[in-house]
Amino acid sequence: MHATSAHGEKITPLRRNLRLGLWDGVTAMPLVVLSQPGNFVVAALLTTSFGFSTGTYGLITSLPFWFNFLQVLLTPLLAQRLHARSMTILSAFLHVAGWIALLVALPFIPVGENARAVGVFLTVFSIVALASAINGVSWNAWMQECIPVRLRGKYFGFRNRLLYLSQVAFMLGVSGLLAWLDGTLLAYQILFGAAIVLRIGSVVAQSRMKTSTNASTAPPQVPWRDQIHVVRQDKTLVRFIVFAAVMGFATNLFGPFYPVFMYEELHLSAAGTNLLLLLGVLGAAIAFPTWGKLLDRFGNVPVMVVSVLLWQGANLSMCVSDTTNLWMLYLVMPAGGFFSAGYGIGLFGLLLKLTPPGARTMGMALFVSLSSLAAALGPITGGYLLTAAQARGFTLMEAYHLAFVISPVIIGLSCYFLHRVREANSAPVAEVVGAMRSVRTVASLFGLSFLVNQVFFRTAEGRGEKLRARASKLR
């Protein structure tokens, strides 16, 4: 017997999964955002409240990338012993446990960069990073069993919009809370506590979801050794992975230090910094439809190159920012979000297009793993360079300004590797829900925080429009 709703409708297992999936996404979002590397809340907590140096902050920021690199070795072993549903729920519990440990320990952590404080944060964020890395892969696999192919486009499109609205609401709420309590430790305790409670609600929703027997699962793939051979023989994909590694390092070399710069040198509050970052998110949201049309018309690679150059052109202006021209940030941040959106959409569309069907799992895993490894070295290197610049007589403001010249130049030069990627524009992008959580993690690798809650897919309507356009050309 199926349960019935208040309107007398039968609640089928599938309908129940769909509803619980929405609840899962919305309630998980705050803690997921807080767990992203280099987010403004953790940046303010570590550098402002506890006074960590740029080197230590860079090390802690790199942890999600290290564990995302290592998960390619760990997750297959766990998958042999646990079902995707069990892995998802257990890793979610571990994620919550890590944040609860931080919440309990927060009042007792001594202020300042000492062994005890650094050890606590390294341990806690290692647990959080490990749980997030495992959860990203297992959740993706499980959703393919819960949500039928025929519903994925419409369902995840609606879910994306809902998660975007919840993300904006969360960021506004954080600004209000931090401004009200003036960035005190109590503000972070309330923020973390509320996010943990919501995440527990997310885990409860996941535990009530059941694997649907009607859901289409991914077709069986060839053995991993054969997949590695397929990937190695695909020169275009190899070039794309090389580009991803270079880009991951370049964007994370000084990218996580932009919020720190705003706190330390521009003397902005955490609430003020959050509002500036929110302008970037809104700029990206406005730009999505326009970039989508350009990508369909001209292909991913050329549009991505233009997008990156415009994006870094906007970021380059940060090298002259100081307390006398704060107004400039209100132009730079939305412009950066607007231009980087084109690169973000193109990146994942190109990834799905280039990964060979017979080795999609390995291609995706190598892309994420190698780009994560390179990205992990970025903030560590950036923190070391900022510290070394100060040791050589540069002021911290001068060191940041120099960094904000170097970073856009390196990122712009990385377009050389992207330009060498040969894209067959006529090749269709298969309907893929496969990169859902992997896409979220990779988005953070390239500083695309506004894409954290996006799920990429091709709808039936989109395929129909493309077929009609081709038919029109033939006539």
Side-chain angles (χ1 to χ4, degrees), residues 354-423:
L354 294 182
T355 47
R360 188 174 298 280
T361 301
M362 179 54 66
M364 196 77 67
L366 288 175
F367 177 91
V368 173
S369 184
L370 295 179
S371 56
S372 294
L373 176 61
L377 299 173
I380 297 176
T381 306
Y384 169 79
L385 291 176
L386 289 171
T387 304
Q390 288 181 272
R392 292 181 177 273
F394 289 89
T395 65
L396 190 55
M397 176 70 84
E398 291 172 339
Y400 275 119
H401 281 171
L402 182 59
F404 296 156
V405 173
I406 294 173
S407 182
V409 170
I410 295 177
I411 295 173
L413 291 175
S414 69
C415 289
Y416 167 78
F417 297 98
L418 176 60
H419 186 66
R420 288 177 57 84
V421 174
R422 296 293 176 257
E423 174 191 7

Side-chain angles (χ1 to χ4, degrees), residues 108-452:
F108 306 102
I109 302 175
V111 176
E113 189 170 329
N114 52 79
R116 181 181 172 187
V118 173
V120 169
F121 281 109
L122 279 174
T123 301
V124 167
F125 284 116
S126 292
I127 295 172
V128 170
L130 173 63
S132 298
I134 296 174
N135 190 266
V137 177
S138 59
W139 186 89
N140 162 45
W142 184 30
M143 286 302 102
Q144 294 188 58
E145 299 179 12
C146 288
I147 311 300
V149 173
R150 70 179 189 279
L151 298 178
R152 288 177 190 170
K154 182 178 180 180
Y155 175 71
F156 286 112
F158 175 73
R159 192 175 187 271
N160 284 345
R161 290 190 290 272
L162 194 62
L163 293 183
Y164 171 75
L165 292 174
S166 63
Q167 181 181 356
V168 171
F170 171 67
M171 295 180 72
L172 290 173
V174 170
S175 289
L177 178 63
L178 294 177
W180 177 43
L181 296 176
D182 197 24
T184 61
L185 194 62
L186 177 61
Y188 293 102
Q189 290 175 293
I190 294 174
L191 174 61
F192 294 163
I196 288 169
V197 170
L198 288 172
R199 182 60 167 135
I200 291 174
S202 168
V203 178
V204 171
Q206 290 180 353
S207 65
R208 296 177 63 189
M209 294 177 67
K210 306 297 181 183
T211 300
S212 173
T213 57
N214 296 324
S216 299
T217 58
Q221 302 217 1
V222 298
W224 278 45
R225 289 185 179 180
D226 294 340
Q227 290 193 43
I228 293 176
H229 178 73
V230 171
V231 172
R232 289 180 59 186
Q233 295 299 314
D234 193 329
K235 293 183 179 179
T236 299
L237 180 58
V238 170
R239 289 171 181 169
F240 185 57
I241 292 175
V242 170
F243 159 74
V246 174
M247 191 69 171
F249 175 82
T251 52
N252 285 281
L253 181 62
F254 297 113
F257 296 95
Y258 280 87
V260 181
F261 170 72
M262 294 178 187
Y263 301 140
E264 293 183 346
E265 300 304 308
L266 302 185
H267 308 299
L268 295 174
S269 65
T273 301
N274 180 40
L275 286 176
L276 283 172
L277 297 175
L278 180 58
L279 290 177
V281 175
L282 294 175
I286 293 171
F288 276 139
T290 301
W291 286 114
K293 292 178 181 178
L294 290 173
L295 288 163
D296 285 341
R297 183 176 180 182
F298 298 105
N300 293 286
V301 171
V303 173
M304 289 166 63
V305 171
V306 172
S307 175
V308 168
L309 295 178
L310 291 173
W311 172 24
Q312 295 311 309
N315 283 347
L316 191 61
S317 61
M318 290 292 291
C319 69
V320 297
S321 60
D322 55 33
T323 54
T324 65
N325 56 12
L326 293 178
W327 59 268
M328 184 177 66
L329 299 181
Y330 292 91
L331 300 177
V332 172
M333 297 306 292
F338 188 97
F339 295 133
S340 62
Y343 169 73
I345 301 174
L347 176 73
F348 303 114
L350 188 58
L351 172 61
L352 298 179
K353 180 180 288 187
L354 294 182
T355 47
R360 188 174 298 280
T361 301
M362 179 54 66
M364 196 77 67
L366 288 175
F367 177 91
V368 173
S369 184
L370 295 179
S371 56
S372 294
L373 176 61
L377 299 173
I380 297 176
T381 306
Y384 169 79
L385 291 176
L386 289 171
T387 304
Q390 288 181 272
R392 292 181 177 273
F394 289 89
T395 65
L396 190 55
M397 176 70 84
E398 291 172 339
Y400 275 119
H401 281 171
L402 182 59
F404 296 156
V405 173
I406 294 173
S407 182
V409 170
I410 295 177
I411 295 173
L413 291 175
S414 69
C415 289
Y416 167 78
F417 297 98
L418 176 60
H419 186 66
R420 288 177 57 84
V421 174
R422 296 293 176 257
E423 174 191 7
N425 290 330
S426 60
V429 178
E431 182 178 0
V432 176
V433 76
M436 290 175 190
R437 283 293 173 95
S438 297
V439 160
R440 293 188 175 93
T441 307
V442 178
S444 66
L445 301 181
F446 304 105
L448 305 168
S449 58
F450 54 85
L451 290 173
V452 165

